[in-house]
Structures are given as structure tokens and as C-alpha cells.
Amino acid sequence: MPLISARSFISKRRGAAHAGSAARRAQVVGAHARSMSIALVLVIIVVALVLFSVDSIPIEFTSLVVVCLLALSGVLTPAQAFEGFSNDTVIFIFTLLAMTQGLAATGVVQMVGQRMAFFARFGHQAFVLAMMGVVAVFSAFISNTVTTAAFLPVAIGAAQRAKVPRSKVLLPLAYASMLGGTVLLFGTSTNLVVSAALKRQGMAPIGVTELAPVGLPVVLIGIAVVVLLGRWLLPAREGKPGTEGFTLRDYLTEAVVPGDSRYVGQPLSDISEGLGLRVIGVVRDGETLSAKPGYVLTGDERLVVEGKREDILRVKDLRGIELRPDVRLSDAELEGPESMLAEVGVPPGSPLVGRSLKETLFVERFGLVALGLHRRPAIQRNTKLQLLRRSYHHHSLSTLPLSVGDVLLLRGPRQKVAELAPGHTLMVLEGHEYEPPRYAKALLAVLLFLGALAAGSLGWVPLSVAGLTGMLLMIATGCVDARTAFRVDWRVVLLIGSMMALGLAMEVSGAGKFIGDHVARLGAYGGPRAVLALLMVLTILLSAPMSNQAAALVVLPVALNAAAQLGVDVRPFAMGITLAASCSFITPLEPSCVLVYGPGHYRFTDFFRLGTPLTAALVVFLVFAVPVVWPFHA
């Protein structure tokens, strides 16, 4: 071989070896980068789960943290991270929530709800059955949270007239609103966001009635389980005679022992035992003291106390201990013939959520004084500690930020309570009757709402344009004023936009494929049906700390990749996840359940007792029904 030829041959061999080595290094670097991206996305999911689980952290804050982390980590570009907020479906969900405000403002829901008491003459079970049926029908078209909020005061009043304990009624109300969302595309925002995610993947979106063949049996089975088991598993907690429809729940409030009080020099037990109040802590001269029964009162102490409504009201009629709201109405306003007591709940989307009574100038704005605060037992202990810390720094109850589901005990003029209608800021829970101001517009509101849904569903115009047109026509025709229409739960919009970004990150990084490959291995043992069951259970478990929409969008990429690995159609997995997201009844963390938690005086175990058999029955049904309607091998 000539020398030049040999050198050329060696040079080519070295070049090929170098190129092969470079390719291998590139593959290693690429694999390492993919592994890092997958790890980052999984860490962000864990961070989101932790933050969503903490009651004191607002859901909108967590949503924006997720978007920020995805952009900062480089998993998504800024444009990709914020793409979900401009999504056509997110815009439609916003307009849909605004249009349901128009239905509530014109009294459509109330007019139907007020006639539910008719069924009480046929017995308690007949009343609950009729109520759940009516609520499920409305929830098929309207957001389940809006439906629950609209029916809540009506259901309480109807239960009182029917002499049925509200604890037997309100939990079925929340469950019925969740069940109704499984029938039509518009029943819940979860259906809409999964439909949008499928369309983004190049698959057919969910049809308007596509879920109905399985959704309708889900509603019927769910109602049957609740009606049959509810009579034994739901508590019968009623107020004592003379409580005027109030639930005997515990309220937190503050009191002061003045220097000239007859309790000065007496042990603390004289207050805690004699008045029936539980003293949580004592603040004296800027020092927080233990609330021991033998502590001797010296005067000018502030007490953080907990007690029933009657116990707290008894304080203001006694000499020697006083309630101390930050701003007090005149005695004529508080004690006049038109004065009344009201229990009010804080609904989702209220401008008071995350803000304190002092910050919102509550007394000046509403003309009502807050005498006490009740919270879910799960966060009541934390609230007591917060109040003690704030008392130490000379703050008060009015500086505590309010949360969805809080119940306030208010006192003031009857007219001021009536002005709280239609309940966008605060919902009156005692069954006080209001006359909706726009009954004459009810039919027009229904026509505009259905017209917008039809125009978007039939493809005449995009969904977002149809919803926006319907919302603007409702405002223009006087069905609802603009300020009320825009009092939507913006947290839902932020949550969905951020979770769409998280779903895209799972797809781009390969995290969805990574988890999907592991999930698909289950198919070797139980087939696609076992994988479907696992995905649905995973969705239900994740929906507790996150939300229905977030859980569905996190699990969907896993389902897409699992279906690809198994060589089956992805449609049954996607539909199973969508339906399972609306079937998480075990905890009271769903917004509809939060709304009824306080008014029904429920405990966490009440949801677990009834929700567990209900969830199990529906999951078993879905595992067998979903592949029948959407076959694995289409």
C-alpha cells in the first residue's frame, strides 16, 4: 500500500472513530439532559403537591410558583410557560363562570330550588332524592361550585321547612353537583381542560355529549348510593330548640376583662366553667400566658376564647367581661328592632378570600359587626395559634385572613344583611329569604346561556368567542351587571393555566413517558383494564391535595405514553381520567364540599364514611363501563 494511501486510510479511521466518539458523547450528554429535565419536572410536581396541601398558602400563589419554576429551570421557555393562560379553553371557562353569575343573578336556580320543599311531604328520602336530581341536572350545564353556592341557602331553608336536619341534606347537595359534572362537556372545567389537552395532542376533543353514556349511569349510581347509605352514614346534627336555624358550631372570638370587672381577683375557671367558654390563651401587658384554670385575673387582660353562639352572645349581656370588635356600631343599630344575627359563609371567588376584615374595612363597607369566626376543624387549631400570636402583637380577630368555607357570626341591621344578596361576597346561611332582583330577565339569561353553548359546541364560532359573546350580551341586556359578572373565581383560571404548563412540561421533558413506561408494565399482569384502574385511582388520590383539573392534567401525559407502550387506543384512558377526576368524594377538599362543611357542621370522618363506598362503587363501575363505550382496540 503506498505511504500516502496508508496515511489517508489511517486518517479516515481516526476521523470515523472521533466522530463515533463525539456521537456517543452527544448521546450521553443528551440522555443526561433528559434525565435532569425529568427529575426537575418530578421535583416541581412534588413541590406543587406540598404547597397545594398547605391550607394557609393560597392556591393562586402555588399556581404561579409552578409556572415560575418551569420557566426558571429551563424546562419550558417563557412563551411555553405562559401559553396556558391564553388558551382558548381557559378563556371559555372564564366566560362560562361569568355567564353562570347571570343565571344566579336572575334567580333561575333559586326559583327551581324553592320548589324542592314540595317533595318533603313524601318523606326525608324523597326530599333528598329530588334535591340531588335537580342539582345534578343544573350541574351538567353549570360549574358544580357555582351550583352548590346557588343552592346552598335554598337547601338550608327547604330543609328547615321540611324539618330535615341540614347535615342530612348538604353533603348530598355537594355530591350531586360533582356527579352532574360527569354528564356533559360543560359540566365541569376538568372536562374542558382535558378536551383541550387532547386537541393539542392532535386527537379529537371531547364531544358535548360524549361522556353522557357513562356519565348518566354514574349520576344514577351515585344518587342511589347516597340515598340508600346516607340515612345510616350521615350524621343527624340539629340545633337545640330556639337556636333559630343556627348550627351549634364553635366560634373563635376575643374578649377583655376591664380593670373594674367583678372577675378581677377570681380564677380563670370562673369564666371558662361559669360561662361555658373555652379560654385558649391570655394576653396581659404584651405577654402571652397559659390559660390555666387556676390563673388569677388581675384586670386589663385580653382573652382568646372559643364557644357556641349562645355562649358568646351571653358575654355581651354580662358585666365584667366584654367582646371587643375593632369598630363598634351604635347600640341603637345593634339592639334595635331591625337588628338581627346572621351566620354567613365565605364562598369561592369572594373578594374577602385572603384578606382580613380590617383590611377590607368590613364594618364601614357592610355595616355589620363580626362577633366570631368558625373554621374547619382541620385548620381551627392553626387559627387559634395564629390568633394568639397576633394578640401578642396587639392585633385582633379582624386581622386574620379569611379562607373559603369560613363562617362568620355577624350582627347588625336586617337591611344590611339583606344587602349581602346575591351572595358573591358572603352567603347568608340561616335560610333568610331574599327576592332576586332580576326575575324578569330569567328566561332571557337561560336563552343566552344555552345559545352560547350551542354556538360553540356546533362549531359556528370558537368556544372562546361564543362564551365572550354570551357574557357581553348578558351584561348588555341587564341580566347581570358587569361588576357582578366579573366576580368569578380567578383562582380557577390561574390554576388551569399553570397546570396546562405543567402538562406540557411532562410531555417536553419526557417525564410523562418515563412514568408511563413504568405504569404500562402493569399491563403485562392485568391487561389494559388494570392500567385504567391504576390511572383512575391515581387521579382520585392526586385530586385531594391538588384539584380535579390539576390531577387530570398531570396524569394525562402518563396515560398517553402508557397507551403507546401497550399498543391500545388512548381514548379509554383519557375518558377514565376525566370521569375519575369528578369522583373524589373521600375528603372535604373539593370546593363544593368546602362550601357545605361549615353550614352542615360536618367532620372529616363524615366525608370519609360516605365518600369511600361511593368512590369505590363508581371506580368499579368505570373500570368495566369505560372500555365498553371507548374500546381499547378501536
Side-chain angles (χ1 to χ4, degrees), residues 576-617:
I577 290 170
T578 304
L579 292 164
S582 297
C583 294
S584 180
F585 304 98
I586 298 175
T587 68
L589 303 178
E590 164 70 25
S592 292
C593 295
V594 169
L595 283 176
V596 303
Y597 197 111
H601 204 43
Y602 292 114
R603 303 187 183 112
F604 188 94
T605 53
D606 297 329
F607 292 83
F608 183 80
R609 245 193 336 264
L610 182 57
T612 299
L614 176 58
T615 302

Side-chain angles (χ1 to χ4, degrees), residues 397-432:
L397 183 73
S398 62
T399 63
L400 285 176
L402 297 176
S403 302
V404 174
D406 284 353
V407 179
L408 294 169
L409 182 64
L410 303 181
R411 190 177 184 92
R414 184 176 298 274
Q415 178 59 32
K416 296 295 184 181
V417 176
E419 289 174 1
L420 294 178
H424 301 300
T425 302
L426 292 168
M427 296 186 304
V428 180
L429 302 176
E430 63 171 67
H432 187 77

Side-chain angles (χ1 to χ4, degrees), residues 51 56 167 181 232 423 461 496 571 578 588 612 627:
L51 295 180
S56 58
S167 59
W232 292 291
V461 291
I496 294 173
R571 201 73 178 177
T578 304
T612 299

Side-chain angles (χ1 to χ4, degrees), residues 351-362 398-402:
L352 299 180
V353 174
R355 306 175 69 190
S356 67
L357 298 175
K358 180 184 282 290
E359 182 184 353
T360 57
L361 301 175
F362 185 84
S398 62
T399 63
L400 285 176
L402 297 176

Side-chain angles (χ1 to χ4, degrees), residues 137-488:
V137 169
F138 270 89
S139 187
F141 297 90
I142 305 174
S143 162
N144 52 17
T145 306
V146 173
T147 304
T148 304
F151 270 99
L152 184 57
V154 179
I156 291 175
Q160 289 174 347
R161 291 192 294 272
K163 295 183 171 46
V164 176
R166 65 171 71 177
S167 59
K168 293 280 191 181
V169 172
L170 298 188
L171 191 53
L173 164 65
Y175 282 174
S177 71
M178 296 167 65
L179 290 167
T182 63
V183 179
L184 298 179
L185 173 64
F186 309 111
T188 175
S189 54
T190 305
N191 303 346
L192 291 165
V193 297
V194 173
S195 178
L198 291 175
K199 187 176 181 181
R200 190 177 62 205
Q201 294 288 338
M203 290 175 278
I206 300 175
V208 176
T209 60
E210 185 177 358
L211 296 170
V214 175
L216 282 173
V218 163
V219 172
L220 296 176
I221 293 172
I223 292 177
V225 171
V226 172
V227 172
L228 292 175
L229 299 183
R231 61 191 305 175
W232 292 291
L233 299 181
L234 284 174
R237 300 190 181 108
E238 295 184 273
K240 297 177 182 178
T243 56
E244 300 170 351
F246 289 88
T247 300
L248 294 181
R249 54 173 63 88
D250 290 325
Y251 284 96
L252 283 173
T253 190
E254 292 172 299
V256 65
V257 180
D260 58 353
S261 169
R262 65 184 178 89
Y263 290 104
V264 172
Q266 301 300 317
L268 190 62
S269 59
D270 280 12
I271 291 178
S272 58
E273 296 175 8
L275 298 180
L277 294 171
R278 292 182 295 280
V279 181
I280 308 302
V282 180
V283 180
R284 179 171 175 265
D285 296 331
E287 182 182 359
T288 302
L289 305 174
S290 176
K292 296 180 179 179
Y295 172 78
V296 178
L297 297 165
T298 59
D300 296 322
E301 286 122 329
R302 296 172 63 189
L303 309 178
V304 178
V305 299
E306 183 180 43
K308 306 296 183 186
R309 178 183 68 97
E310 288 77 9
D311 301 328
I312 289 175
L313 292 178
R314 193 183 305 128
V315 171
K316 78 178 195 60
D317 295 326
L318 295 173
R319 294 180 180 178
I321 182 171
E322 302 175 2
L323 296 181
R324 281 286 178 91
D326 282 352
V327 183
R328 308 184 71 180
L329 298 179
S330 67
D331 289 340
E333 290 177 296
L334 283 177
E335 305 296 340
E338 289 301 311
S339 175
M340 69 173 294
L341 209 64
E343 285 182 322
V344 300
V346 180
S350 170
L352 299 180
V353 174
R355 306 175 69 190
S356 67
L357 298 175
K358 180 184 282 290
E359 182 184 353
T360 57
L361 301 175
F362 185 84
V363 176
E364 293 86 343
R365 179 180 172 187
F366 296 101
L368 298 164
V369 167
L371 301 180
L373 169 70
H374 169 81
R375 280 187 165 163
R376 307 195 308 272
I379 58 175
Q380 183 87 326
R381 182 182 298 275
N382 183 48
T383 303
K384 296 174 188 176
L385 296 175
Q386 285 179 327
L387 193 51
L388 280 174
R389 287 197 297 267
R390 289 169 184 267
S391 296
Y392 176 81
H393 295 290
H394 302 286
H395 294 293
S396 64
L397 183 73
S398 62
T399 63
L400 285 176
L402 297 176
S403 302
V404 174
D406 284 353
V407 179
L408 294 169
L409 182 64
L410 303 181
R411 190 177 184 92
R414 184 176 298 274
Q415 178 59 32
K416 296 295 184 181
V417 176
E419 289 174 1
L420 294 178
H424 301 300
T425 302
L426 292 168
M427 296 186 304
V428 180
L429 302 176
E430 63 171 67
H432 187 77
E433 298 290 341
Y434 301 107
E435 182 182 355
R438 293 182 171 93
Y439 271 133
K441 302 284 187 179
L443 179 60
L444 178 60
V446 171
L447 292 176
L448 290 174
F449 182 79
L450 295 179
L453 294 187
S457 304
L458 297 175
W460 296 342
V461 291
L463 277 175
S464 56
V465 177
L468 185 61
T469 303
M471 180 190 74
L472 294 176
L473 286 176
M474 278 194 178
I475 296 173
T477 56
C479 294
V480 62
D481 61 82
R483 186 170 299 177
T484 301
F486 289 113
R487 284 178 185 160
V488 301

